[in-house]
Amino acid sequence: MKPLIVANWKCNPITLKEAKKLFNLVKKGVKNFKNAEVVICPPFLYISNLKSQNSNIKIGAQNCFWEQKGAFTGEVSPKMLKNLGCQYVIVGHSERRRNLNETDEMVNRKLKAALKENLRPILCVGNKNRKREKEFKGIRIQMEKALSGIKKSDLKNLIITYEPVWAISTTKGREIATPIEAKEGAIFIRKILAKLFDKNFAQKIRIIYGGSVDSGNIRGFIKEAKMDGALVGAASLKPKEFVRTVKAASRA
Ligand code: PEP
């Protein structure tokens, strides 16, 4: 399967003009890389504009609500995203867990709502502690709660991001994960999936890596760690660097 490279623009850029420019530079740059699947997750309000730019790049959202409509001021529903042509949605990013007190129960409700609309959820799991035992315990709890009450047959489109918080570029004192650490993270996640569902299912789910990924290190994560792709934050805002990152992934 082609590596899946997901750009998480977070709360950037601050004008639609800049968003279109960034998108179009990436679109032009990745046009010939047929061996990678590229998804861009811009802020909500740029989605419809970028969707109409007509390209092979798929569009995702960075979050969604757990209800499809109603009196929920400020929220954006999976149904709305689907109606805009969005195919992917990030759920449970550590910045939302930390800054907005998003709980595992909320992540679970969002995941269920996204699956109901046939969006491909990109579930982020990760811990701020690099000590393996604590880190993996945190991930196990996140996964058990996020996937609680969801049938295996509804999870065919699930993508999991192993995103150690200690490796995210904006984390204070950030450290870079090695491909071996990423590989161990993915193995652990598959173990949990096998326990919650079964081994065959666990092997089929795409697990990507997130945390300071760029053109210099992506090869190690794809080739050595055998990750199914990457979630890219800071480097996705620099068009040349992001295009190089996609290129490296497509040749790994
Ligand atoms: C992220 O926070 O989703 C992320 C991947 O960030 P960065 O690549 O900047 O570490």
Side-chain angles (χ1 to χ4, degrees):
M1 207 183 260
K2 295 179 190 177
L4 174 71
I5 311 300
V6 183
N8 178 11
W9 285 3
K10 308 192 181 183
C11 191
N12 300 290
I14 55 167
T15 65
L16 175 60
K17 196 173 162 199
E18 289 170 276
K20 280 186 180 169
K21 189 173 168 202
L22 175 56
F23 184 87
N24 285 318
L25 286 169
V26 171
K27 175 173 114 175
K28 213 167 139 202
V30 304
K31 189 170 80 211
N32 296 321
F33 305 149
K34 307 280 183 236
N35 283 330
E37 195 181 332
V38 181
V39 178
I40 290 184
C41 301
F44 285 136
L45 71 171
Y46 301 148
I47 289 176
S48 53
N49 257 288
L50 300 183
K51 189 71 198 77
S52 62
Q53 303 290 301
N54 191 22
S55 85
N56 287 336
I57 297 173
K58 310 224 171 73
I59 300 290
Q62 298 170 20
N63 175 42
C64 66
F65 192 51
W66 56 74
E67 297 287 349
Q68 306 299 359
K69 63 175 195 163
F72 305 105
T73 305
E75 293 298 340
V76 172
S77 79
K79 201 178 257 315
M80 290 170 182
L81 295 173
K82 190 72 185 179
N83 288 341
L84 279 182
C86 232
Q87 286 171 272
Y88 293 79
V89 61
I90 298 172
V91 179
H93 192 280
S94 62
E95 284 157 8
R96 297 193 60 83
R97 293 179 191 259
R98 184 183 65 230
N99 299 328
L100 297 152
N101 294 329
E102 202 165 288
T103 63
D104 290 320
E105 287 70 22
M106 288 156 87
V107 172
N108 174 252
R109 295 177 78 179
K110 290 181 178 200
L111 199 54
K112 285 176 176 161
L115 289 165
K116 200 164 170 210
E117 286 310 311
N118 277 322
L119 289 166
R120 292 169 186 240
I122 303 169
L123 170 67
C124 296
V125 295
N127 195 272
K128 58 182 188 302
N129 204 314
R130 195 177 185 171
K131 290 209 178 80
R132 290 265 105 155
E133 212 176 299
K134 282 200 176 144
E135 184 188 12
F136 284 2
K137 185 177 172 213
I139 290 173
R140 180 177 54 74
I141 294 168
Q142 284 176 344
M143 285 183 61
E144 284 169 355
K145 293 194 174 171
L147 299 171
S148 159
I150 308 181
K151 286 194 294 222
K152 188 175 73 174
S153 55
D154 291 334
L155 287 170
K156 284 188 295 283
N157 288 331
L158 177 70
I159 295 148
I160 298 185
T161 309
Y162 168 49
E163 187 164 64
V165 180
W166 51 265
I168 294 180
S169 66
T170 47
T171 298
K172 214 168 154 226
R174 166 281 307 257
E175 296 170 79
I176 305 284
T178 63
I180 291 172
E181 283 174 305
K183 190 175 184 176
E184 286 170 358
I187 290 171
F188 180 75
I189 288 170
R190 284 197 206 283
K191 258 192 204 155
I192 301 294
L193 288 173
K195 224 167 101 191
L196 293 175
F197 303 100
D198 62 61
K199 244 183 175 169
N200 189 34
F201 172 81
Q203 286 315 313
K204 284 189 185 143
I205 293 297
R206 286 204 275 188
I207 302 178
I208 64 175
Y209 175 75
S212 302
V213 173
D214 59 24
S215 62
N217 59 26
I218 193 160
R219 191 180 153 80
F221 293 122
I222 306 281
K223 185 123 174 109
E224 277 177 61
K226 305 241 177 309
M227 304 300 297
D228 297 315
L231 179 61
V232 186
S236 72
L237 296 171
K238 301 177 202 141
K240 281 191 184 147
E241 174 56 15
F242 185 64
V243 169
R244 279 197 294 265
T245 306
V246 176
K247 185 176 180 183
S250 70
R251 295 186 173 172

